[in-house]
Amino acid sequence: MGFFVYCNVRFLVSMLLCFCWWNLPVFSQSSNADWWKSTTVYQIYPRSFYDSDGDGTGDLNGIIQKLDHIKDLGIETIWISPFFLSPQRDFGYDISDYRSIAPEYGDMETCLKLIEEIHARDMKIVFDLVMNHTSDEHAWFKESSFNRENEKADWYVWKDGRGKNGQKPPNNWKATIGGSGWHWHEGRKQFYWASFLDFQPDLNYSNPEVKSAMLDVARHWLSKGVDGFRLDIFNSIYEDASFRNNPASLRIVPSEESPDGFFQQMKYNVNQEGSFRFATELRAVVDSFQNPARFMVGEVFGDVETTKKFCSYNGKDGLHTIFLFKTLSTPFKAKKWRKMVEEFEHNFAEPFVPTYVFSNHDRRRSITPLDNDVRRAKLLAFFQFTVRGIPFTYYGEELGIEKPLLPLKTGLDPLAQRYKSIPQFMVNLTGQSLNRDECRTPMLWDSTQNAGFTSGKPWLPISQNFRNKNVQTQERDSVSLLNFYTRIINFRNENPILQDGTLAIAKELCNRKVFAFYRELNEAKVLVLLNFSGQEINSEGFSSELIFSTHSTNNINTLLPFEGRILKLQ
Ligand code: GLC
C-alpha cells in the first residue's frame, strides 16, 4: 500500500504536467550538439549517496540502484565526484591512478555498467576530472620525486629554494587555501608546488608529455562513453613561466569572485594565459568525440571578465561553461538576485549559457542561508529551473538536507584538520562550512536506521531530522520539497521556453520584494514572478493566465508569501 501511495504521487505529478499542457512544442529546440545548453545537472558525492555493501560508504553499485530517483526528478545529467584509485586523503580529489576505480567504490565492470544504465535511461554522465594535480602516491610523482634525472623528473613543478641552504621557498606564492604552496622534498632537495594541499602536487603542463598524458586520460573516458567532465580547480593548471612573486593585496580571504587573499594578489599562479589556451586544446579533444557531443564545465575562481576567457580564448572555443559562484554569496533578496541575473545575462549572453549552483561538496547546504525554510527552498528551486541557464542540484538539495554542526577538531575533511586550531565559535559565526564534512552527510532515503543509506556504520553522521526529510516520506507528501522539485523540473522539461527562451528582466515589476523576468521563444512569452518576501503582494496589475505556481492557488490577484509563478502572456 505504502509503495502504491508514493508511486502514485510522483505518477500523478507527471500526469498532471502532461494535462496542464499549453500549446508549445514538447521538445527543446536545442540541437543535439547543444544538448548541454538546456540540460539539468545533479551532483552525486559517491561516498555519501547509497551504500550497497554495508561498509558505511556509498559506492557505484549503490548509485546504479538509485538511478530512478534522479530520473523521476526529471534530471538529465549526472555529475559524479571522483571515484578513481586514491589514498582518499581528500576523498578522491587526490588521484593515484586515473584509469582505475577505487575498490571501495567498485570496479571497472561496475563503472561501465553505471555508464550503460545511465544511458539506458536516456540520461548523461559527467565525470569529475582532476587535471591540475595528482596524489603524491601517484606512480608519476613517486618516480618524479625519486631524483632529478629520471624520465618523469620534470612532470611536476619543481624548483630550487632560495637562501643560503636553498631551504626558503622559491617565491612568495600562497596555496589557494593559505600558507605557502611550496613544499620541501628531502629526496630531491627541492620544492614542489601544490595549489591545494601538500599531498596534491601540481602537474607541470609546460612539459608537453604531461599535457599529452592528461589529454589521453580525457580520451580514455570519452571513448568509454562518458558525456563530459567537470574540471576541478581548472584555473590553477598553469603557473607563470618565470615564477614572479605575487604582488601584495589587502584581501585576507579569497572569495568566489576573487582568488586574491592571504594578503596577496594571485597574479602569477592562477588564471594564466596558458590555462585559457589549454581550455581550447582540451575542447578540441572533447569535440573529436561526437554522437553525442560532449560537455565541460570548469571550476574556476575569479572575476567574470577574466574567467570567461576559459570559455572563449581569443574568440576561439574553450570550455562549454564555467561555474559562476556568485550564486553562493548573493543574499536571498529580490534586488540582489536581479543584479546577479543581469550580470550573468550580460556576461553570458547567447551563445554562452550561465550556470546556477547553490551548494556542492565544498559549500554549505543551500537551505542553510535560507534559515532552513522550505518555502524559501521551493522559491530557490523555482528560480533555478525557470531562469536561463544550467541548473546544478547537489544530492539532497531536493530534500532540504540541512547543514549539521560538525566540529573542526574531529573533522575527517583534510581542510578541517588543517584549520583545527581556529576557535569553533569563530567558524560558527561565519555560517560557512570550514569543515566540509558538513556538506557531505549521507543521502536520506527512508525512515529506517541510518536513513536507509547503509546497513553498516555511516562514514559521517546521519542528519538528525532524517525521519521527515527522507525520500520515502517526502514522496508520500504531495506538497513536499521533493515533490516540488519533481513538479518544476518536469514542467521545465515540458516547456522549451524555459530551456531555450531568451530572458529579459521585467524592470517595471521589480522592486524590493519582487523579482520578475520574461522568457520568450518564437511567438510565445511568459512572465516569471518571484515574491522574495513573507508578505502577500497585490498583483492585479500583472495578472494573466497562471500556468504554474509554487503554491496551490487560483488567486490571480495576490502573490502569496514566497510564491513563484509563471504567467502566460502570449
Ligand atoms: C576542488 C574540489 C575540492 C577539492 C579541491 C582539490 O575545489 O571541489 O573538493 O578538495 O578542488 O582537488
Side-chain angles (χ1 to χ4, degrees):
M1 172 66 184
F3 176 72
F4 187 71
V5 171
Y6 89 72
C7 279
N8 270 347
V9 173
R10 275 197 161 181
F11 178 72
L12 268 174
V13 167
S14 320
M15 289 315 287
L16 268 174
L17 283 161
C18 294
F19 288 120
C20 297
W21 185 234
W22 49 294
N23 54 3
L24 285 175
V26 178
F27 298 107
S28 156
Q29 298 210 330
S30 298
S31 71
N32 218 4
D34 284 346
W35 63 267
W36 56 273
K37 287 192 173 181
S38 57
T39 200
T40 45
V41 185
Y42 186 94
Q43 182 194 354
I44 292 180
Y45 195 67
R47 217 176 170 77
S48 299
F49 199 59
Y50 184 59
D51 173 18
S52 70
D53 59 7
D55 66 357
T57 61
D59 45 55
L60 299 189
N61 203 22
I63 298 177
I64 295 174
Q65 289 180 32
K66 295 294 186 184
L67 282 179
D68 287 336
H69 167 71
I70 309 168
K71 179 69 185 170
D72 289 350
L73 271 172
I75 295 277
E76 182 184 34
T77 301
I78 300 178
W79 146 35
I80 310 182
S81 286
F83 47 82
F84 311 103
L85 198 66
S86 158
Q88 304 292 345
R89 289 183 67 189
D90 192 14
F91 299 114
Y93 284 93
D94 49 332
I95 295 171
S96 51
D97 183 352
Y98 289 91
R99 294 164 200 242
S100 306
I101 308 303
E104 56 269 55
Y105 290 131
D107 53 20
M108 190 57 75
E109 202 186 321
T110 320
C111 172
L112 298 179
K113 184 166 175 227
L114 174 64
I115 299 173
E116 198 184 305
E117 291 281 340
I118 289 178
H119 287 160
R121 286 169 177 75
D122 213 9
M123 296 166 84
K124 311 269 188 202
I125 175 159
V126 163
F127 276 11
D128 203 319
L129 200 54
V130 186
M131 298 191 107
N132 178 68
H133 52 266
T134 67
S135 154
D136 59 358
E137 290 186 30
H138 195 295
W140 296 342
F141 188 74
K142 286 189 187 159
E143 190 175 343
S144 185
S145 57
F146 190 65
N147 58 32
R148 299 189 189 194
E149 282 85 43
N150 65 77
E151 280 189 5
K152 303 247 175 333
D154 197 26
W155 275 47
Y156 291 82
V157 185
W158 294 102
K159 281 285 279 172
D160 287 333
R162 288 174 300 147
K164 218 166 48 197
N165 304 321
Q167 297 262 352
K168 280 194 187 155
N171 63 23
N172 71 353
W173 294 356
K174 298 267 168 63
T176 52
I177 47 168
S180 174
W182 291 105
H183 305 280
W184 176 253
H185 193 278
E186 197 46 42
R188 278 188 59 144
K189 305 249 178 287
Q190 272 187 316
F191 285 87
Y192 65 88
W193 169 247
S195 293
F196 208 71
L197 286 155
D198 59 338
F199 55 82
Q200 292 162 313
D202 275 37
L203 283 160
N204 175 16
Y205 278 82
S206 58
N207 178 341
E209 285 177 22
V210 170
K211 201 198 279 186
S212 123
M214 288 308 292
L215 291 177
D216 274 351
V217 169
R219 282 190 195 96
H220 173 78
W221 287 113
L222 292 167
S223 68
K224 302 243 180 271
V226 168
D227 296 291
F229 302 114
R230 174 264 185 188
L231 300 161
D232 192 65
I233 53 170
F234 197 75
N235 60 335
S236 300
I237 294 272
Y238 273 83
E239 297 77 33
D240 175 51
S242 45
F243 294 88
R244 282 167 281 185
N245 276 324
N246 277 333
S249 155
L250 288 176
R251 284 177 60 91
I252 305 173
V253 268
S255 65
E256 287 79 19
E257 294 148 80
S258 169
D260 298 348
F262 316 109
F263 300 105
Q264 69 177 227
Q265 285 172 45
M266 303 282 174
K267 185 168 176 190
Y268 294 117
N269 54 331
V270 298
N271 293 331
Q272 301 298 295
E273 290 298 306
S275 302
F276 303 137
R277 211 176 308 122
F278 182 59
T280 66
E281 294 173 59
L282 186 57
R283 175 66 181 260
V285 168
V286 167
D287 278 355
S288 67
F289 290 80
Q290 290 296 328
N291 300 319
R294 315 297 162 98
F295 159 68
M296 290 184 289
V297 53
E299 185 199 30
V300 297
F301 301 91
D303 62 79
V304 182
E305 300 277 291
T306 309
T307 50
K308 195 182 161 189
K309 291 188 195 165
F310 284 107
C311 299
S312 170
Y313 178 63
N314 290 347
K316 288 195 196 127
D317 283 345
L319 308 184
H320 297 76
T321 193
I322 54 174
F323 287 118
L324 303 174
F325 289 125
K326 192 173 189 154
T327 44
L328 297 170
S329 58
T330 302
F332 191 73
K333 291 196 164 36
K335 281 193 162 171
K336 302 271 183 201
W337 281 46
R338 170 187 171 174
K339 200 164 162 262
M340 172 176 82
V341 173
E342 272 171 349
E343 190 184 313
F344 286 10
E345 279 296 305
H346 173 76
N347 290 311
F348 284 81
E350 270 286 342
F352 299 100
V353 185
T355 51
Y356 285 91
V357 52
F358 293 96
S359 65
N360 62 33
H361 62 292
D362 297 327
R363 302 304 305 238
R364 63 185 179 185
R365 289 284 180 179
S366 61
I367 201 165
T368 307
L370 309 181
D371 298 331
N372 295 328
D373 180 347
V374 172
R375 296 170 308 164
R376 290 183 169 96
K378 283 185 184 169
L379 190 64
L380 181 111
F382 173 79
F383 165 78
Q384 217 183 1
F385 292 97
T386 53
V387 72
R388 191 184 77 89
I390 307 175
F392 283 78
T393 303
Y394 181 50
Y395 82 95
E397 209 167 318
E398 74 277 27
L399 305 175
I401 292 190
E402 295 169 15
K403 171 179 105 67
L405 258 187
L406 301 178
L408 274 183
K409 277 207 170 55
T410 49
L412 302 179
D413 172 22
L415 279 194
Q417 289 163 20
R418 184 182 169 105
Y419 296 125
K420 64 177 174 224
S421 54
I422 299 180
Q424 189 66 43
F425 79 90
M426 281 173 70
V427 181
N428 299 352
L429 280 179
T430 68
Q432 299 294 341
S433 286
L434 215 46
N435 175 2
R436 296 177 299 173
D437 293 355
E438 292 179 342
C439 328
R440 302 167 178 178
T441 57
M443 180 67 173
L444 309 174
W445 293 106
D446 58 39
S447 305
T448 63
Q449 204 190 8
N450 297 327
F453 162 68
T454 179
S455 57
K457 184 177 180 300
W459 78 288
L460 282 178
I462 304 288
S463 303
Q464 282 181 348
N465 54 2
F466 74 93
R467 284 188 214 281
N468 47 35
K469 285 264 172 178
N470 66 69
V471 173
Q472 196 183 55
T473 307
Q474 293 202 34
E475 274 181 331
R476 290 171 180 161
D477 170 4
S478 61
V479 295
S480 67
L481 184 58
L482 173 61
N483 273 318
F484 179 71
Y485 264 84
T486 309
R487 194 155 73 86
I488 185 63
I489 300 173
N490 281 289
F491 190 81
R492 175 190 153 102
N493 292 347
E494 305 287 344
N495 288 279
I497 198 168
L498 296 178
Q499 302 162 41
D500 304 322
T502 56
L503 184 149
I505 307 281
K507 293 189 184 130
E508 67 287 6
L509 302 176
C510 290
N511 56 43
R512 216 164 37 82
K513 295 178 179 165
V514 175
F515 172 43
F517 53 85
Y518 300 107
R519 301 290 311 267
E520 206 168 339
L521 185 69
N522 304 329
E523 297 302 295
K525 187 170 182 179
V526 295
L527 170 64
V528 180
L529 283 168
L530 298 99
N531 179 2
F532 275 72
S533 80
Q535 284 115 47
E536 290 189 356
I537 292 174
N538 183 329
S539 57
E540 272 169 68
F542 39 92
S543 43
S544 182
E545 190 189 340
L546 179 62
I547 54 169
F548 188 96
S549 168
T550 44
H551 297 51
S552 49
T553 174
N554 297 319
N555 188 347
I556 197 79
N557 295 326
T558 309
L559 207 49
L560 296 171
F562 301 113
E563 185 186 347
R565 58 168 60 168
I566 308 176
L567 302 171
K568 183 183 171 191
L569 299 183
Q570 60 196 45

